[in-house]
Amino acid sequence: MYNTTEMKILFVFNHPAPYKIKLFNELARYMDLEVAFERKRASNRNKLFYKNAAYNFNHVYLRGIPIGKENHFSLDLIHLIKNNNYDLIIMNGYSTLTEMMTIKYLNNHKMPYALYINGGIIPKQEPKWKKRLKRKYISSAKYFFSPTKESTDYLLYYGANKKNIYEYSYSTLNKIELLDEPLSREQKEKIRQELNISSFKHIATTIGELCQRKNQLYLLKIWNTMPKDFLLIIIGEGKDKKKIEHYIKENKLNNVLLTGFLDRKNTFKYIKASDLTIFPTREDIYGHVVLESLSQWVPIISSPNANSALKYIVKNRTGLFLPLDDSAAAKDIIIKGLDILIDKNDFSVVKEATIEKNALRHFEQIEEMLRK
């Protein structure tokens, strides 16, 4: 069996998202961990998203050339692998030039590696060349980390070995962030007064980048027919901000609040104040907001197009699914969601999805990989 001094692991990730930093900090308790970051930040993230992250693990930022919004070119990663003797290399991606060149190097030198995915959705239509390319880079991994059944199906579709797929609970949540029990009406009311939103009878929050994929405009069309005492809070920023502001103004929606970007503490404060969280996404390979809402005992109303929703929504118990092709039916679903009360049995699933438990699970999974 490996111990923390023997197990030397390299984890490759695109950018230092705070929830990944938390995971790496926990993993470093179990192993000699080094993390290579391709970028210092994602192009669609507010700079404040990265504020005050503490790194308790060895890490390096790869020197290279950023290309477009997400791509990256660097040979530093290959040099890093050449100059170190890692027990396992974990690639959290296969689509940037840096990742593709590194995977090619690993395959040419017969160096086994693990592919770590945050989610995956099998496309309804895809050019043959693209499918072949993805299959080439996905299937060549020896081991795989998958967060949901749908993500596992995605890996299998592109040629992954089913015996070597390890499932985990993808999460942004530390144990300390989970509420022990649901807030009372009086506790919620106190938070609403602090936020100056106590004049509304019901409150729903939606969180995410303001863009077509996150689908806030569809939610606003629903809200145009909602009772005026039902407040919608939209947290986030993005390229659709002006469109959203225009729609709110044009339709005189006085029961919609745009907050802009909020840090984690204040985002959770709005969730706690809410009766519901709504996630009308057109497509999300995962969707952290689902677990973040449930962690505060707040039901989630989500489209079925998020893998996390398919994993954690239990109809009428933790949430409901939101139709995206029928705004009248969607309105009824949202109002019905007000009757949902999450119980301790359903919340126990959330307790198993903390970063601390995930890190321990990863340690055990890596140990098993290295024994094979």
Side-chain angles (χ1 to χ4, degrees):
M1 180 179 290
Y2 286 79
N3 60 37
T4 54
T5 58
E6 292 176 337
M7 187 187 290
K8 188 173 183 180
I9 306 298
L10 175 66
F11 204 117
V12 181
F13 191 62
N14 190 264
H15 64 103
Y19 49 86
K20 282 292 187 182
I21 301 302
K22 291 178 182 179
L23 174 62
F24 296 146
N25 284 338
E26 283 295 317
L27 282 174
R29 297 175 55 202
Y30 299 100
M31 61 191 71
D32 180 2
L33 179 69
E34 185 167 9
V35 181
F37 294 110
E38 294 180 58
R39 289 171 174 252
K40 291 192 174 181
R41 60 181 290 255
S43 59
N44 64 337
R45 295 286 192 178
N46 188 293
K47 290 181 180 180
L48 296 176
F49 177 70
Y50 299 94
K51 190 178 180 182
N52 299 327
Y55 295 65
N56 299 323
F57 53 90
N58 297 323
H59 63 282
V60 60
Y61 289 100
L62 302 175
R63 296 171 300 174
I65 303 170
I67 303 170
K69 290 185 177 181
E70 303 297 335
N71 214 329
H72 184 265
F73 173 82
S74 174
L75 296 174
D76 266 13
L77 184 54
I78 293 174
H79 294 316
L80 187 68
I81 292 168
K82 283 181 179 179
N83 295 325
N84 289 275
N85 186 24
Y86 298 108
D87 292 302
L88 184 65
I89 297 163
I90 303 174
M91 300 291 298
N92 194 168
Y94 58 87
S95 59
T96 71
L97 290 173
T98 299
E99 292 159 357
M100 288 190 287
M101 288 188 302
T102 303
I103 288 171
K104 185 176 180 180
Y105 173 84
L106 293 171
N107 288 332
N108 287 343
H109 290 79
K110 294 180 169 47
M111 299 172 67
Y113 69 95
L115 180 63
Y116 190 109
I117 66 169
N118 303 324
I121 298 172
I122 299 172
K124 294 179 181 178
Q125 289 185 325
E126 185 175 39
K128 290 183 179 179
W129 68 265
K130 192 173 184 179
K131 182 180 178 180
R132 284 196 299 267
L133 188 65
K134 287 164 76 171
R135 185 179 179 89
K136 174 183 176 181
Y137 284 101
I138 291 174
S139 65
S140 64
K142 185 171 183 180
Y143 307 108
F144 306 86
F145 292 91
S146 168
T148 64
K149 176 187 176 298
E150 291 72 25
S151 304
T152 295
D153 291 341
Y154 173 87
L155 288 171
L156 293 172
Y157 180 75
Y158 289 108
N161 184 339
K162 187 174 183 179
K163 293 180 180 179
N164 288 337
I165 297 176
Y166 294 79
E167 292 196 357
Y168 69 97
S169 298
Y170 193 21
S171 176
T172 67
L173 298 161
N174 281 117
K175 181 180 178 181
I176 196 172
E177 294 179 297
L178 274 60
L179 289 184
D180 293 330
E181 58 186 16
L183 295 182
S184 66
R185 176 51 61 183
E186 291 74 22
Q187 289 171 315
K188 278 187 179 287
E189 181 60 26
K190 184 179 179 181
I191 298 173
R192 291 179 179 188
Q193 289 174 1
E194 292 173 5
L195 295 171
N196 197 28
I197 54 175
S198 61
S199 61
F200 293 90
K201 184 178 180 180
H202 300 299
I203 297 173
T205 297
T206 188
I207 306 160
E209 181 184 359
L210 306 184
C211 62
Q212 186 179 15
R213 182 169 63 87
K214 296 294 185 181
N215 213 13
Q216 290 92 354
L217 281 170
Y218 174 70
L219 195 51
L220 286 175
K221 290 175 183 177
I222 299 169
W223 231 257
N224 210 4
T225 67
M226 293 292 278
K228 296 303 179 184
D229 62 353
F230 203 146
L231 175 65
L232 174 64
I233 299 165
I234 302 176
I235 299 174
E237 59 182 32
K239 60 185 179 182
D240 274 8
K241 183 178 180 180
K242 289 186 178 179
K243 290 181 183 179
I244 290 169
E245 288 176 332
H246 176 75
Y247 189 93
I248 293 170
K249 184 177 180 180
E250 186 178 50
N251 291 277
K252 299 178 182 178
L253 294 180
N254 298 320
N255 57 342
V256 176
L257 172 64
L258 276 176
T259 69
F261 172 83
L262 293 179
D263 61 21
R264 191 168 179 80
K265 180 181 178 181
N266 285 300
T267 296
F268 272 68
K269 197 169 185 178
Y270 276 104
I271 293 175
K272 290 174 185 175
S274 301
D275 300 299
L276 301 167
T277 302
I278 306 176
F279 191 41
T281 181
R282 294 173 183 265
E283 181 180 279
D284 257 87
I285 62 171
Y286 194 71
H288 291 302
V289 67
V290 171
L291 265 177
E292 289 170 351
S293 179
L294 296 178
S295 75
Q296 308 305 300
W297 299 77
V298 174
I300 180 76
I301 310 298
S302 173
S303 80
N305 300 335
N307 280 342
S308 59
L310 297 174
K311 183 171 183 176
Y312 291 108
I313 287 181
V314 181
K315 187 178 178 181
N316 295 321
R317 287 164 52 187
T318 61
L320 291 166
F321 287 106
L322 186 77
L324 297 185
D325 56 357
D326 188 337
S327 59
K331 176 185 175 180
D332 292 341
I333 289 290
I334 291 168
I335 292 173
K336 186 179 179 182
L338 294 171
D339 296 327
I340 295 175
L341 296 173
I342 298 171
D343 65 26
K344 289 184 178 180
N345 288 331
D346 290 316
F347 191 76
S348 64
V349 178
V350 183
K351 286 184 176 181
E352 292 301 311
T354 63
I355 286 171
E356 290 86 352
K357 291 201 173 186
N358 200 26
L360 176 57
R361 189 175 297 115
H362 279 343
F363 171 64
E364 294 168 345
Q365 290 168 332
I366 292 170
E367 271 197 320
E368 183 176 332
M369 291 175 191
L370 294 177
R371 285 197 301 267
K372 284 188 174 181

